Amino acid sequence: MSASQKLGSVKRDWRQRDVKVVLSALIIAVATVAIIALFASQLQRTLITSASSFLAADRQLEAEHGKPIPAEWREEARNRGLQTARMVEFSTMLSGGERFQLVSIKAVSDEYPLRGKIEFQQDADSDRQLLGQGPRPGEAWLNPRLVRLLEIDVGDTVEVGNLELTVSGLLVREPDGGFNLGGLAPRVMMHADDVDATGVIQEGSRVEYVNLFAGEEAALDGFYQWLQPRLEPSHEWESIRDGEALSESLQRAERFLLLGGSIAVLLASVAVAVASRQFAVGQRDTVALLKTLGLSSRRIGHMYLVRLSVWGLAGMAGGLLVALPVYGFLNNLMARVLEQEIPFTVDLPSLMPALATAVVSLFAFAYPPIRRLRHVPAMRVLRSQPGEADSRAWSDIAIAVVAIFGLVWLYAREVMLVVALIGGLVALLGTLALLGWLLLLALRRVTGGGNAWRLALVGLYRHRRASLSQIAVFAMTLMLASTLILVRSSLLADWQAQLPEQTPNHFLINIAPSTVDEVDAFWREQGQGLDTLYPMVRGRLTEINGQPVRQVVSKDDSVNALNRELNLTWMESLPEDNRIVAGDWFGSDQTEGVSVEAELAAELGVDVGDVLGFTIGSETIAEPITSIRTVQWESMKPNFYMAFPPGGALEGLPATWITSFYLPEDRKDALNEFTREFPTVSLLEVDHIIERIQAIVGQVTQAIEAILALILAASLVVMAAVVSATLQDRQREGALLRTLGGRQSLLVNSTMLEFGLAGLLAGILGVLAAESAVWALQYRMFGGEFRWHWQVALPIPLISGFVLALLGRWQLRPVLQVSPMLLLRRLE
Amino acid sequence: MTDLSSGPRQTSEAILTVTDLTQRVDLGRDTLTILQGVSLEIKRGESVAIVGRSGSGKTTLLGLLAGLDTPTEGEVVLEGKAISRLSEDERAALRARRVGFVFQSFQLLPALTALENVMLPLELADFPDPQARARELLGRVGLGDRLTHTPRQLSGGEQQRVAIARAFACEPVILFADEPTGNLDNQTGQEIQELLMALNREQGTTLVMVTHDETLAARCQRRLTIEAGHLEAAREETA
Ligand SMILES: Nc1ncnc2c1ncn2[C@@H]1O[C@H](COP(=O)(O)OP(=O)(O)OP(=O)(O)O)[C@@H](O)[C@H]1O
Ligand SMILES: [Mg+2]
């Protein structure tokens, strides 16, 4: 066969209905996966950028109690195309007016901040501005409360060490607000070049040098590769994913996007599978004809390979043509919702899954049945023998399913996700097989009649093969969509629970034991009750089971908790949001033992029974681990790695107290009164951080909704594709029923009922399978506890029944509009 | 049910009256006239053959007579009811109870078994015990042992028998057949022909059939010839 002949046959193919269905399915598949993958990767970039403002950069390198970070490192980063900035943080006394005040200084270079903006006010009465640069040399910006505390004005001078600085504005908020229980004094921002002139920093002073980096992810990774061997233990490399408060939310959002993408891959392959299988099975007659025309099996196989390849290519091209404009539109929409500029980037790696999905599912589902037709004698192909079933169909499907899950795994690289989805689908098909069998037993006795219900049930029974496979596809589609819906609702619920209204947004730290009662009384008078008060002792973890920690825990695992002092506490009862995962909480008179936070325990490789040694000032203590518990780091409440029982090992050691409380924006003046009355208590304002987190979580939520909407649209398209696969048979049947005297209303009602019932059944199965998949996913990927989602799950079967009934009505439309005569002519 | 003893009944009462029937289809730019001024009358119990060259409008006429379509002009009165004045559902009800069809291309539903195909009109007409009736009819056309087979598993002749069983299922007063033997070999065509004639006799059904088959046409009591949409007034009585 010459090439032109092959092309000729492809062109002829295009006029065939089955082929059109396959091509449309391919286009839909490529478009859906491409849109979701592109959009998801764009969202991810956007979220990371927006969250990166928390670090004022993409990465931070901190040197605690350290020497300045070598300038060559920044040089190297710049050579790699990264932006850099420099920052020095220290606490010192500042004098202004007639007063002195301990302040926490942040001295920044011109490039600061690399991500996010500084919120600035010219003076107390002017509007807030967003600036991309800190103060110039010789100037300082002060926290507005500090200005009131010192009773000075903008334009006055303040002294830091030997250096006089002009107050040129008010620092309302810095992007990297930080949440560190260490430095708590009011903030002052100045220029990094002025630091030396103050003379405050000497050998051994407590100062933190920070370098900021921003740029392409690949360049950042490359730089870190270069940097890693040069780092010392006091150096800490941080990305936004490591930050406590946001990282969990971001990780979950990323996983959600991944899940969404994987589900898109599965949905797409279902669509292509249905269409190409339908095509392949419909090729029996053609293959028989070709055989009778004397074509060899080899050539027939070859011919189909060429055709499938051509369609594959056409599907890809068509899919991309659809995907790119839609993606552009979504991008615009997102830019408007998030009120920020979002570049139109098409990254090729995001397109790979789309293309691979289309091709793999096309060949996996269409080729094996066609290949098998080659071995069947022409006569048997022309008329199937009584009782002959397509016995090899199951092995075909098994091969194809393995191929598809391979794809998902390649895409997601997350074993648990694949296992959960496979598990859900297997559970689904198993239940369906059982239910189908029961249903057939039940329906066998029903005979049709002029009654729509009976006709619908008879329809289900008589088309049992088609009905069951359609229900299976609907149920799979619904399961995938429901999985996403369920995960979305539990994510959103978790996030809402995490930072509810009136989340404590101020911390009081360093409360001396003697003033605890007075502090408590002060705030009660203000009408703002305090949360639980916790004692806090600062100490280092030095030994595990009598061995120095450094030897036990290898240096490569950079365990953050080892690099700094830990906050140790004692408490009688377990905080509400903590959960014991091993061992038991302290008994009522128990005085020995320590409870360790679960992630740290895992990093250290310790378990209940291991003995931990701590150095606190000059004292050392050692206690066995009696329980391991999880902590909600995102809760913005005081959280502790190590908790001892009251009267335990910490008894008698110098402790201060810590607590948190909620203060609304308009009551902030109370803070000044408080600091004047209790000058030694440190106050940490995290209200702005909480606002930022809430804003970012809001963005993430919108992103999730967008992906969900895309997936739902794709599901609808897949269902419509499945319905249209049997369109012709159904229309022929409708025409014949009308010819035989069926009333239109009977036809409409019975069809809608039949489809509605199928949809309801598929919906119930899909939701059950989704719940089991979510159970598995929740467990491994999204943390959090599994709960039934009745309010979300219940409507799904109803909606699916309704949608399918409408689809059934829709496909019947041509049957009702024209005379039966014309219909029969058309269908002949 | 079936009345095996009585022979063909023919009364002078007209079951179907057609006056000045014209059918045109709109083809966008121009209109095509398929039938032009056809008038005829068919009496109860009569058997009539419609013959004519391919494309002359036979199938179109049959469809109009059976109420499957409405004419552009003219009137079809079936059992005293003017078809074009009925609503689609009223026409459907009339078809369900009074009219049977046999198509050249069988028109069986591929997903349904032979039995289910025959049961279909019985169920639509709310016939008591459709299954027993369908079994009986399939037995009558010689397919008693093929009840559970789907059309794909039946030969063309067997499929046409199923279609005939289906057509006679509701004991129609009038049966329309469009080239019932057109897709079959001579021998099988002959058998189908016998079957149709026998059922016509047994049930006293009026038979209107389009055919190219001279022997079949010859067995009908009357022959109508269509030529390019016009009815030739040729009329032949046969035994
Ligand atoms: N809906 C339609 N649109 C366009 N042309 C039509 C339509 N219906 C019928 N025709 C045309 O009207 C003419 C008569 O058609 P009809 O099917 O009645 O012929 P026929 O006598 O049954 O032919 P045959 O013996 O080949 O079956 C044909 O030329 C056909 O193409
Ligand atoms: Mg015809």
Side-chain angles (χ1 to χ4, degrees):
Chain A
M1 208 186 276
S2 76
S4 65
Q5 270 173 309
K6 276 176 207 157
L7 276 177
S9 80
V10 168
K11 223 167 111 185
R12 260 204 320 276
D13 279 346
W14 176 237
R15 275 182 257 127
Q16 284 181 28
R17 233 193 65 89
D18 280 356
V19 176
K20 280 187 197 162
V21 173
V22 172
L23 266 173
S24 325
L26 277 173
I27 290 174
I28 291 168
V30 171
T32 315
V33 178
I35 290 169
I36 289 185
L38 284 172
F39 188 57
S41 79
Q42 181 70 281
L43 270 175
Q44 190 160 336
R45 275 193 299 272
T46 311
L47 286 177
I48 293 291
T49 312
S50 135
S52 289
S53 62
F54 260 78
L55 288 181
D58 293 331
R59 300 287 189 281
Q60 273 198 3
L61 178 63
E62 280 177 36
E64 264 189 80
H65 317 305
K67 305 172 292 254
I69 296 169
E72 306 89 74
W73 294 6
R74 288 191 295 280
E75 189 61 40
E76 175 69 23
R78 276 192 296 275
N79 289 341
R80 289 170 179 268
L82 297 174
Q83 293 169 268
T84 65
R86 210 154 43 86
M87 214 157 89
V88 188
E89 290 184 84
F90 54 96
S91 297
T92 185
M93 293 306 283
L94 173 137
S95 72
E98 277 115 58
R99 295 166 190 267
F100 285 91
Q101 171 68 38
L102 180 74
V103 297
S104 136
I105 293 203
K106 179 175 204 155
V108 297
S109 65
D110 290 333
E111 302 84 7
Y112 173 91
L114 298 180
R115 295 275 185 255
K117 299 277 186 222
I118 305 170
E119 216 173 301
F120 172 84
Q121 248 179 322
Q122 194 58 57
D123 54 58
D125 305 321
S126 49
D127 290 336
R128 292 180 180 191
Q129 290 171 269
L130 292 176
L131 301 182
Q133 200 182 352
R136 281 186 292 270
E139 296 179 358
W141 297 346
L142 273 55
N143 178 316
R145 204 161 51 77
L146 178 63
V147 172
R148 270 172 273 151
L149 208 61
L150 295 172
E151 293 172 349
I152 60 171
D153 276 323
V154 173
D156 291 347
T157 54
V158 290
E159 275 172 40
V160 178
N162 307 326
L163 188 69
E164 222 169 65
L165 296 168
T166 311
V167 178
S168 60
L170 302 177
L171 176 68
V172 180
R173 191 191 310 184
E174 56 201 281
D176 47 337
F179 180 53
N180 179 0
L181 299 186
L184 301 162
R187 181 64 101 193
V188 171
M189 190 176 277
M190 57 183 272
H191 198 279
D193 291 347
D194 286 343
V195 172
D196 285 344
T198 61
V200 172
I201 293 178
Q202 269 136 35
E203 194 79 24
S205 15
R206 262 187 87 152
V207 53
E208 193 172 306
Y209 291 94
V210 181
N211 276 189
L212 304 179
F213 303 92
E216 298 272 328
E217 207 56 24
L220 287 164
D221 286 344
F223 176 61
Y224 183 58
Q225 297 293 322
W226 176 88
L227 187 66
Q228 208 174 12
R230 294 169 173 78
L231 293 180
E232 290 166 31
S234 65
H235 285 134
E236 198 179 315
W237 178 255
E238 252 190 291
S239 76
I240 186 62
R241 288 184 181 81
D242 306 323
E244 280 166 5
L246 255 188
S247 64
E248 279 276 299
S249 304
L250 281 182
Q251 273 169 13
R252 288 187 194 177
E254 281 176 5
R255 285 182 167 159
F256 185 87
L257 294 181
L258 202 63
L259 180 68
S262 311
I263 284 176
V265 167
L266 284 174
L267 274 178
S269 44
V270 169
V272 175
V274 170
S276 47
R277 183 134 189 109
Q278 165 99 1
F279 165 77
V281 172
Q283 287 301 295
R284 284 165 163 273
D285 297 351
T286 314
V287 170
L289 193 70
L290 292 172
K291 281 191 162 179
T292 56
L293 291 179
L295 233 59
S296 73
S297 297
R298 250 180 59 95
R299 271 172 82 182
I300 294 177
H302 183 72
M303 189 186 82
Y304 276 100
L305 270 184
V306 172
R307 283 166 139 187
L308 291 182
S309 314
V310 173
W311 300 344
L313 289 175
M316 287 183 196
L320 292 183
L321 275 180
V322 174
L324 293 179
V326 175
Y327 165 63
F329 170 76
L330 287 175
N331 238 11
N332 268 337
L333 209 68
M334 179 164 68
R336 232 173 301 151
V337 170
L338 302 186
E339 290 173 355
Q340 78 191 65
E341 206 140 310
I342 295 169
F344 181 84
T345 6
V346 175
D347 58 338
L348 292 176
S350 304
L351 291 179
M352 287 321 291
L355 305 182
T357 304
V359 174
V360 170
S361 33
L362 176 64
F363 280 90
F365 283 96
Y367 194 61
I370 287 178
R371 214 186 118 79
R372 225 159 347 95
L373 286 182
R374 304 188 318 182
H375 306 297
V376 176
M379 200 46 219
R380 263 188 67 179
V381 173
L382 272 180
R383 188 181 312 145
S384 59
Q385 304 298 302
E388 185 211 41
D390 208 349
S391 56
R392 303 283 291 276
W394 283 107
S395 71
D396 283 1
I397 291 173
I399 293 172
V401 165
V402 168
I404 298 305
F405 279 101
L407 264 179
V408 176
W409 188 78
L410 272 181
Y411 175 72
R413 301 247 170 221
E414 180 77 54
V415 179
M416 197 54 206
L417 190 150
V418 180
V419 168
L421 291 178
I422 291 185
L425 285 175
V426 167
L428 181 124
L429 292 178
T431 323
L432 184 69
L434 186 75
L435 228 114
W437 180 71
L438 286 175
L439 216 67
L440 292 189
L441 278 187
L443 290 182
R444 180 162 294 168
R445 314 225 152 259
V446 184
T447 53
N451 176 310
W453 269 101
R454 275 160 63 200
L455 204 59
L457 293 177
V458 166
L460 277 178
Y461 176 70
R462 291 197 179 148
H463 303 109
R464 52 195 172 271
R465 279 194 126 208
S467 304
L468 277 180
S469 56
Q470 279 197 352
I471 291 177
V473 175
F474 292 148
M476 287 196 276
T477 309
L478 286 168
M479 172 208 150
L480 296 173
S482 317
T483 304
L484 212 59
I485 294 178
L486 296 178
V487 169
R488 163 201 165 269
S489 0
S490 67
L491 272 191
L492 297 193
D494 280 356
W495 283 334
Q496 251 138 42
Q498 175 193 322
L499 291 178
E501 298 280 301
Q502 313 230 334
T503 299
N505 55 2
H506 291 80
F507 282 77
L508 296 178
I509 300 160
N510 277 333
I511 310 172
S514 55
T515 56
V516 166
D517 290 341
E518 291 166 51
V519 169
D520 198 23
F522 176 91
W523 286 111
R524 231 198 310 264
E525 232 166 77
Q526 296 286 333
Q528 308 292 337
L530 297 178
D531 277 17
T532 320
L533 281 143
Y534 294 99
M536 195 166 97
V537 177
R538 288 180 72 84
R540 272 175 197 280
L541 177 66
T542 42
E543 286 181 354
I544 297 176
N545 292 328
Q547 301 286 313
V549 160
R550 294 268 168 211
Q551 284 173 22
V552 182
V553 181
S554 87
K555 253 198 190 135
D556 295 346
D557 325 339
S558 58
V559 181
N560 276 337
L562 298 180
N563 291 336
R564 59 165 187 259
E565 289 198 303
L566 294 174
N567 296 322
L568 316 176
T569 192
W570 68 81
M571 46 173 98
E572 194 173 330
S573 49
L574 187 68
E576 248 174 54
D577 55 2
N578 290 12
R579 294 270 172 282
I580 298 284
V581 293
D584 295 303
W585 187 246
F586 309 118
S588 53
D589 320 310
Q590 190 178 338
T591 54
E592 71 159 14
V594 56
S595 173
V596 185
E597 190 270 337
E599 272 172 40
L600 178 63
E603 275 176 35
L604 295 171
V606 296
D607 210 334
V608 172
D610 285 319
V611 178
L612 301 184
F614 297 90
T615 305
I616 298 150
S618 54
E619 307 260 345
T620 58
I621 58 172
E623 285 292 327
I625 300 176
T626 52
S627 66
I628 297 195
R629 83 207 127 82
T630 59
V631 159
Q632 299 296 312
W633 290 114
E634 303 149 295
S635 70
M636 286 285 173
K637 287 181 186 152
N639 280 311
F640 298 92
Y641 282 121
M642 303 287 174
F644 295 78
L650 295 185
E651 187 79 358
L653 291 171
T656 58
W657 293 71
I658 175 172
T659 187
S660 58
F661 63 100
Y662 173 76
L663 189 67
E665 179 81 36
D666 54 359
R667 300 286 317 276
K668 288 207 84 146
D669 277 344
L671 294 178
N672 281 335
E673 201 179 319
F674 178 81
T675 32
R676 253 194 298 278
E677 203 166 315
F678 301 95
T680 56
V681 174
S682 309
L683 176 75
L684 183 61
E685 298 163 70
V686 295
D687 48 342
H688 290 316
I689 301 182
I690 288 178
E691 272 168 34
R692 285 280 295 143
I693 292 178
Q694 277 165 341
I696 288 181
V697 166
Q699 287 181 2
V700 172
T701 307
Q702 269 160 349
I704 280 174
E705 304 283 22
I707 292 285
L708 184 64
L710 280 179
I711 286 287
L712 288 182
S715 318
L716 208 64
V717 170
V718 170
M719 301 229 266
V722 172
V723 169
S724 78
T726 55
L727 194 68
Q728 208 168 10
D729 289 347
R730 288 305 191 134
Q731 289 182 351
R732 176 188 301 279
E733 190 172 333
L736 207 69
L737 280 174
R738 273 189 68 194
T739 313
L740 295 179
R743 274 173 293 118
Q744 302 212 22
S745 57
L746 179 70
L747 206 60
V748 169
N749 292 345
S750 70
T751 307
M752 287 182 76
L753 270 174
E754 187 184 334
F755 276 74
L757 283 176
L760 189 73
L761 188 64
I764 293 172
L765 289 174
V767 164
L768 287 179
E771 288 277 12
S772 57
V774 171
W775 174 78
L777 287 173
Q778 202 78 17
Y779 185 66
R780 255 302 301 275
M781 283 184 69
F782 294 98
E785 273 163 64
F786 176 77
R787 19 176 202 269
W788 287 92
H789 313 79
W790 293 118
Q791 32 342 341
V792 188
L794 265 183
I796 292 175
L798 298 178
I799 292 173
S800 108
F802 182 70
V803 166
L804 271 174
L806 287 185
L807 274 177
R809 177 70 185 75
W810 162 74
Q811 62 144 15
L812 211 56
R813 206 182 21 143
V815 180
L816 299 177
Q817 274 170 356
V818 297
S819 72
M821 191 70 204
L822 201 58
L823 265 173
L824 290 174
R825 248 185 224 281
R826 274 188 200 158
L827 293 172
E828 217 135 79
Chain B
M1 235 184 280
T2 49
D3 182 4
L4 293 170
S5 59
S6 72
R9 288 169 300 180
Q10 193 188 335
T11 63
S12 55
E13 182 201 346
I15 189 168
L16 184 67
T17 315
V18 175
T19 36
D20 228 359
L21 202 63
T22 297
Q23 181 73 328
R24 282 187 282 267
V25 287
D26 201 358
L27 295 177
R29 246 171 269 133
D30 44 9
T31 54
L32 174 71
T33 305
I34 304 174
L35 291 173
Q36 177 81 58
V38 174
S39 300
L40 56 88
E41 197 180 274
I42 292 170
K43 298 202 169 60
R44 195 176 289 278
E46 209 180 0
S47 59
V48 178
I50 300 175
V51 295
R53 294 177 49 185
S54 178
S56 55
K58 303 181 297 291
T59 301
T60 309
L61 178 61
L62 204 67
L64 288 172
L65 296 185
L68 290 177
D69 211 345
T70 47
T72 322
E73 283 166 26
E75 186 85 87
V76 176
V77 179
L78 182 61
E79 285 215 298
K81 294 190 183 89
I83 284 181
S84 49
R85 293 210 200 108
L86 299 180
S87 73
E88 185 54 49
D89 274 349
E90 285 165 336
R91 276 200 292 276
L94 189 65
R95 284 198 295 272
R97 282 291 187 167
R98 319 298 285 169
V99 180
F101 296 94
V102 176
F103 304 93
Q104 183 177 2
S105 53
F106 321 141
Q107 299 285 7
L108 299 176
L109 289 180
L112 271 52
T113 61
L115 187 67
E116 287 165 346
N117 264 297
V118 178
M119 282 165 67
L120 209 58
L122 292 167
E123 290 170 346
L124 285 173
D126 257 339
F127 225 84
D129 201 355
Q131 210 186 71
R133 170 88 179 139
R135 273 174 198 281
E136 181 197 321
L137 277 161
L138 281 168
R140 176 69 189 79
V141 299
L143 291 175
D145 52 348
R146 309 294 296 271
L147 300 179
T148 58
H149 291 185
T150 58
R152 253 191 103 77
Q153 297 162 343
L154 298 172
S155 76
E158 288 160 348
Q159 289 184 49
Q160 193 61 303
R161 285 176 207 220
V162 176
I164 289 171
R166 182 180 65 185
F168 279 100
C170 290
E171 299 184 327
V173 294
I174 185 163
L175 182 104
F176 296 94
D178 190 357
E179 302 188 34
T181 58
N183 274 341
L184 306 171
D185 63 82
N186 269 339
Q187 178 66 34
T188 318
Q190 195 67 37
E191 286 168 27
I192 294 293
Q193 202 178 325
E194 291 300 334
L195 193 60
L196 271 175
M197 287 311 192
L199 285 165
N200 166 236
R201 257 194 323 276
E202 287 163 16
Q203 300 194 356
T205 312
T206 311
L207 194 61
V208 182
M209 111 177 100
V210 169
T211 183
H212 289 296
D213 183 341
E214 263 311 315
T215 57
L216 185 53
R219 293 184 67 170
C220 293
Q221 291 162 332
R222 200 145 58 104
R223 171 202 289 257
L224 301 172
T225 310
I226 292 203
E227 179 80 48
H230 293 274
L231 192 64
E232 307 270 293
R235 178 184 268 253
E236 278 171 44
E237 298 287 338
T238 54

